[in-house]
Amino acid sequence: MGGVSHTSLSPLPSSDRSDIAARLRRALLDASFTADGLLDLLGAPAYAALARSETVPALRATRGDTALETLVRLFLLQQPVPHERVADVLPVEDALESGWLTRTGGDEVAASVDIRPYGGPDGEDWFIVSDLGCAVGGAGGIGSREEGVVLGVGGASTTLAGITVREPVGSALDLGTGSGIQALHVAQHATRVTATDLNPRALEIAALTLALSGAPAADLRQGSLFEPVRADETYDLIVSNPPFVISPGARLTYRDGGMGGDDLCRTLVQEAGDRLNEGGYAQFLANWQHVEGEDWQDRLRSWVPRGCDAWIVQREVQDVTQYAELWLRDSGDHRADPADYQARYDAWLDEFEARKVKAVGFGWITLRRTAAAEPSITVEEWPHSVEQPLGDAVREHFDRVDYLRRHDDAGLLAGHFRLVAEVVQEQVGLPGAEDPEHVVLRQHRGMRRATKVDTVGAGFAGVCDGTLSAGRILDAIAQLVGEDPVMLRDRTPAQIRLLVEQGFLEPVE
């Protein structure tokens, strides 16, 4: 992976002037330039349109002269604003001197960076800094995605933030920090935060994001993958929203990994194991190839490093034409000369054909360092809706892995369980039938799973309130249905194990 050039991008504000960042933050908050303030000003439709990079509704909603409208036009819509008006809202001379603002034609000033209000998980008012133009101009008009450009918060960023396990840790690593959004999140629960990026401009912008959000500074290091990390450094938490796009070449640093196929994601996962402390988590977003004649789940299992439990969830699959079109639109190539667009599209399909790739999967990968003799690797497809944030659900998954590893069938029968909150039972069958064809248990929280159970399984789950052991409950069911209790005890632990594994039952220890 080579160096990064960003000669045509705007000069960035000075990240050395934390005093000015603090004054700017106070002024933004005083004007209610926050996620809640924007929603109140713009209304839900214009606010949602802005998230899609559609600016016309927000322009219409900010034709007044309030402080908040001025800031929205300046930093979000990136319009020049009269110097005199800005001076009423911001420490304008300091902002000009330190590079947050620039002078334009006439007596107007303009923003040098995009500043987006972002609500933290506990109601914090944060600000994400990114390059100008990346989120302005409409759904297909994102502008020239230049080499070295640093994007703000997107769907992938918020997905990773939502699935990350949030518990106090001594050390955390944000690998490929970009605008600094993940570093900002982990700074709330990690004593020491290291953030890396191949792009030096990203490190400058991440420093601005942290300063403007009032967060502690991170240890910022330049380099690819784990190169900036010393051999003796390990972490309790590693997070990465890497440049995972599988593309021919490495044209755009923020998305193209610069390795062949899905090698960057594979390398990242394989090398993370040695960087984790015992019990530590590594959490990534990734793309992976579906190769002809190969099971995609086996491909991903082969990535998991020794000494790590893993939970890998495939959220989406696209055939190679859908995938190529998605990323050609992302970079604005669909608006280029038709011959150039066709040539680039051909190059993507040539690359996939050469590698015998028929589709590309997208999803989440979580590793946990374990001392267990036989690590647990779960690879599954779950394209259905989930309830974010899922950090607690991820941690609970691995807690259940530990429980099931410690308990054989006899241990399960001696155990006490509780049906988790917001699980409902659905009976499926033909109208008027005396008995249902099958019973489904469905979660309404977290992963929102559904699983079929037999009548014994449904009855067992319904009785579980933590007071009786599983064996005692099965004995009572056997008496009710006139079945041999020994046989019922013999065949039911597999169903109990599945219900625990999928989070329908929680052990009461």
Side-chain angles (χ1 to χ4, degrees), residues 104-123:
T104 61
D107 192 26
E108 292 183 320
V109 297
S112 62
V113 288
D114 183 306
I115 298 176
R116 301 259 152 176
Y118 179 85
D122 295 314

Side-chain angles (χ1 to χ4, degrees), residues 49 60 127 144 223 230 242 262 278 327 330 387 390 410 449 452 465 495 498:
R60 292 172 60 85
F127 300 99
S144 175
R230 295 194 308 272
D262 52 17
E278 187 69 30
W327 295 109
D330 169 80
E387 182 191 49
L390 278 167
R449 294 188 187 278
K452 287 183 186 179
D465 61 4
Q495 196 167 189
L498 180 67

